[in-house]
Amino acid sequence: MEAKDWATLEAQAGLDRAAMEEFAELIHKAKTAVLVWSMGITQHAYGGNAVQMVLNLGLTKGYVGRDKCGLMPIRGHSSVQGGAEMGAYATAFRAANQSIRRMPKNFRKITDSRCRIGWD
């Protein structure tokens, strides 16, 4: 990871340095935790990356497979995003990257600049 100055980190995170350091200290000292996130973290151009960072933090700290620990995506109802909680989302499949007969005409990958307007 490239080094970033605190002013850049604060601007990108929407948090001040004290809040980020407080969270880092909390996670550093926590022997157990359940990391919980909801759809808001996924609903922007870098949502997949954001979820991956939460998961990596939980895995790095060993918050999987132990009592009082876990990684928990909260959904509005069962299967609200299809199989997304298990990585089964449209862009993960081979067909999403190729032209197939049944692909909806309005389907576009998030890398299509027309999809990114207003999300960055």
Side-chain angles (χ1 to χ4, degrees), residues 5-21 23:
D5 60 84
W6 279 104
T8 301
L9 291 172
E10 289 173 328
Q12 291 177 344
L15 297 169
D16 62 25
R17 181 178 180 163
M20 287 186 267
E21 289 178 337
F23 178 73

Side-chain angles (χ1 to χ4, degrees), residues 48-61:
N49 292 341
V51 171
Q52 187 174 13
M53 287 183 248
V54 172
L55 296 173
N56 286 341
L57 175 61
L59 291 169
T60 300
K61 289 291 294 177

Side-chain angles (χ1 to χ4, degrees), residues 31-53:
K31 298 200 183 316
T32 61
V34 177
L35 302 181
V36 181
W37 65 96
S38 63
M39 289 176 47
I41 199 170
T42 66
Q43 295 175 336
H44 56 84
Y46 304 103
N49 292 341
V51 171
Q52 187 174 13
M53 287 183 248

